[in-house]
C-alpha cells in the first residue's frame, strides 16, 4: 500500500492531469505482476515486466514508468525452476531502457523497432551471463550455454511477441484509460484531418500562427 501511494504521488508530480482511470491502470498492472510472479514462477520476468513498462512509458511518462519498474521488482520471489540469477538484472536494465526510450518515441514504427531490438539485446545479455555463470573451464561454460539455449530463445521470442501485442492494443488502452501518447498526438495533428484542413483554407493566418506557437512551445 505504501508503494502504491508513492507510485501515485510520483505519477501526479510528473503529470498533474492524471485521472482516476490512469491511476487504476497503474495499480492494476502492478497487481497483475504480483499475482504472476507468485503463482507462475516458471514465467520469465522479462515477459512480465517489460511489456507493461512499454505501455506505462508511452501513456504516463518516463519517470512514472521507472518508478513502476522499481516497485514491481520489490521482493521478487525465487524461481522454482532455477532461472538464472542474472535474468533479473537483464530484465531491470531492459525495462529501464524501454521506460526511457518509450517516453520519447514519437511514432508506431519506432515502437516496432524497439520491440525487436530490446528482445535481441536481452537474448545477447542472457547468452553472455550464462556463459560466465560458472567459474569453471571455458568449455564447461559453453556447454552450460548450449544446454540453456532453448530457454533463452523462448524467453526472447515471448518477450518480442508480448511487446508487439502491447503495441497492437495500445490504441484500445488509449481510448479506455484516456492515455495521450506522442504517437496519438501526431496522428491528431495530421493536417489532412477535416477540421485542420478547413482551418487552413478558411483562416490561413490563424492556422500559420497556431503552427508557429506549437513549434515555440515544443
Amino acid at each position: 500500500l505504501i508503494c502504491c501511494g508513492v507510485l501515485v504521488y510520483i505519477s501526479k508530480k510528473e503529470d498533474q492531469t492524471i485521472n482516476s482511470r490512469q491511476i487504476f491502470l497503474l495499480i492494476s498492472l502492478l497487481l497483475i505482476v504480483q499475482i504472476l510472479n507468485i503463482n507462475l514462477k516458471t514465467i520469465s520476468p522479462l515477459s512480465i515486466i517489460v511489456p507493461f513498462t512499454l505501455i506505462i512509458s508511452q501513456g504516463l511518462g518516463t519517470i512514472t514508468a521507472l518508478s513502476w519498474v522499481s516497485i514491481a521488482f520489490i521482493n521478487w520471489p525465487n524461481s522454482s525452476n532455477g532461472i538464472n540469477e542474472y535474468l533479473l538484472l537483464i530484465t531491470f536494465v531492459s525495462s529501464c531502457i524501454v521506460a526511457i526510450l518509450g517516453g520519447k518515441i514519437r511514432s508506431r514504427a519506432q515502437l516496432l523497432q524497439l520491440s525487436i531490438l530490446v528482445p535481441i539485446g536481452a537474448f545477447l545479455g542472457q547468452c553472455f551471463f550464462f556463459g560466465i555463470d560458472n567459474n569453471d573451464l571455458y568449455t564447461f561454460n559453453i556447454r552450460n550455454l548450449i544446454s540453456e539455449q532453448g530457454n533463452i530463445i523462448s524467453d526472447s521470442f515471448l518477450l518480442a511477441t508480448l511487446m508487439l501485442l502491447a503495441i497492437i492494443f495500445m490504441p484500445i488502452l488509449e481510448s479506455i484509460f484516456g492515455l495521450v501518447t506522442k504517437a496519438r498526438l501526431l496522428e491528431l495533428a495530421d493536417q489532412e484531418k477535416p477540421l485542420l484542413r478547413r482551418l487552413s483554407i478558411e483562416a490561413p493566418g490563424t492556422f500559420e500562427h497556431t503552427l508557429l506557437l506549437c513549434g515555440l512551445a515544443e
Side-chain angles (χ1 to χ4, degrees):
L1 290 176
I2 293 174
C3 289
C4 289
V6 171
L7 182 60
V8 171
Y9 174 78
I10 293 174
S11 62
K12 286 186 175 182
K13 293 293 282 187
E14 183 175 19
D15 183 7
Q16 296 181 356
T17 63
I18 190 171
N19 56 42
S20 57
R21 288 182 298 167
Q22 295 164 356
I23 292 175
F24 176 76
L25 176 63
L26 272 177
I27 304 302
S28 297
L29 293 180
L30 195 61
L31 178 62
I32 291 173
V33 167
Q34 296 303 316
I35 292 174
L36 290 178
N37 70 27
I38 292 174
N39 297 317
L40 300 175
K41 296 181 181 180
T42 57
I43 296 181
S44 169
L46 273 170
S47 305
I48 300 176
I49 298 290
V50 179
F52 289 162
T53 305
L54 179 61
I55 294 173
I56 295 172
S57 65
Q58 274 283 290
L60 299 173
T62 298
I63 303 300
T64 301
L66 289 173
S67 303
W68 185 89
V69 168
S70 301
I71 292 173
F73 270 95
I74 292 177
N75 196 29
W76 194 276
N78 293 326
S79 173
S80 59
N81 65 344
I83 288 179
N84 184 276
E85 61 182 353
Y86 295 114
L87 188 55
L88 285 178
L89 175 60
I90 296 173
T91 303
F92 185 76
V93 172
S94 301
S95 300
C96 290
I97 292 174
V98 169
I100 294 172
L101 296 181
K104 298 179 179 179
I105 284 177
R106 298 168 60 91
S107 67
R108 311 285 185 189
Q110 291 176 331
L111 281 177
L112 289 175
Q113 293 175 2
L114 186 66
S115 68
I116 295 173
L117 294 178
V118 169
I120 291 176
F123 172 78
L124 295 176
Q126 288 186 78
C127 289
F128 175 76
F129 280 118
F130 268 111
I132 65 170
D133 190 32
N134 295 300
N135 296 320
D136 207 327
L137 296 177
Y138 180 73
T139 54
F140 177 78
N141 290 335
I142 292 296
R143 291 172 185 171
N144 183 36
L145 176 59
I146 293 174
S147 66
E148 296 289 344
Q149 65 180 353
N151 292 330
I152 296 175
I153 294 174
S154 62
D155 287 348
S156 301
F157 180 77
L158 181 59
L159 173 60
T161 302
L162 292 177
M163 290 186 71
L164 288 173
L165 288 175
I167 295 172
I168 291 173
F169 286 103
M170 187 72 72
I172 300 176
L173 295 175
E174 289 173 359
S175 60
I176 294 176
F177 296 100
L179 302 176
V180 181
T181 63
K182 288 182 173 61
R184 177 60 176 161
L185 289 176
L186 287 175
E187 292 171 358
L188 293 173
D190 183 8
Q191 296 185 16
E192 293 302 315
K193 295 286 186 181
L195 186 60
L196 290 179
R197 192 168 183 81
R198 180 184 172 191
L199 178 65
S200 65
I201 294 174
E202 297 184 8
T206 301
F207 180 75
E208 294 298 330
H209 177 66
T210 303
L211 290 181
L212 178 61
L213 287 179
C214 288
L216 290 173
E218 184 179 10

